[in-house]
Amino acid sequence: MTDRETIAAYDARVETYAGLVERETPDPALIAFIGRVPTGGLVLDLGCGPATASAAMRDHGLRVDPVDASPEMVRLANETYGIGARVADFDAIGGKAVYDGVWANFSLLHAPPEDFPRYLSALHTALKPGGTFHIGMKLGSGARRDRLGRYYAYYSQADLTAHLETAGFTVLDSATGEEMGLAGDVEPWITLAANA
């Protein structure tokens, strides 16, 4: 899945987005995720954006494979952190038992619902048995574009849990909240932690 309008929206606002995701205190979900990955483990940062999370993971002794469909995000990530980020979309997910962890923080919400199960299955296959998976999504129903033209698919907590379980994951934990995004709207979100 490569939605050109979504990618163009990020490419045009890379610096603004980087400022939006910059945090003064560590993300509790990220700290918990890092704690579940063995030291030196390899993590796929799927939709890494400016690679702030990848840099934190690297600082905590993990090896990272940061990927994003936005060439401008990848450029900024590498200029800022020298982290080896590369341009790739969800269809590039491959391999078997490659990763100790997958960090998919608010990236798969851009996947069309008809492709979502296939991507989750590919991620489950790419994880080592017992590997840890983090996913962040927006709560709701249906699919639509925001005022910046980005494509979003929305799910309920029950639907997301069912999708993860169908793909072979065991859901361990979840958290919900609300936050203002790049388009200026405050929307509800959910994160789920799971094991392969």
Side-chain angles (χ1 to χ4, degrees), residues 7-96:
I7 294 167
Y10 282 114
D11 279 344
R13 297 165 179 86
V14 62
E15 300 289 347
T16 305
Y17 185 80
L20 191 68
V21 298
E22 192 69 40
R23 299 175 66 105
E24 289 183 19
T25 56
D27 178 354
L30 179 59
I31 296 304
F33 174 85
I34 290 168
R36 289 192 298 270
V37 179
T39 301
L42 179 62
V43 173
L44 173 64
D45 187 353
L46 184 66
C48 66
T52 309
S54 282
M57 288 186 260
R58 183 178 65 183
D59 291 347
H60 282 83
L62 301 180
R63 294 175 297 130
V64 291
D65 181 12
V67 301
D68 202 284
S70 161
E72 287 301 306
M73 287 290 182
V74 168
R75 177 194 58 76
L76 180 64
N78 289 329
E79 283 180 3
T80 306
Y81 298 110
I83 204 154
R86 57 192 175 91
V87 177
D89 64 19
F90 302 141
D91 287 311
I93 300 165
K96 183 173 182 180

Side-chain angles (χ1 to χ4, degrees), residues 19-20 41 54 68-70 85 121 130 147 167 171 174 176 194:
L20 191 68
S54 282
D68 202 284
S70 161
S121 180
R147 67 183 76 194
V171 176
S174 66
T176 57

Side-chain angles (χ1 to χ4, degrees), residues 110-133:
H110 296 305
E114 62 269 21
D115 293 330
F116 189 57
R118 176 168 58 89
Y119 296 145
L120 289 178
S121 180
L123 289 167
H124 186 271
T125 300
L127 272 166
K128 294 176 182 176
T132 189
F133 180 59

Side-chain angles (χ1 to χ4, degrees), residues 139 155-163 190:
L139 287 167
Y155 299 88
S156 68
Q157 181 169 351
D159 285 343
L160 277 175
T161 300
H163 275 296
I190 184 168

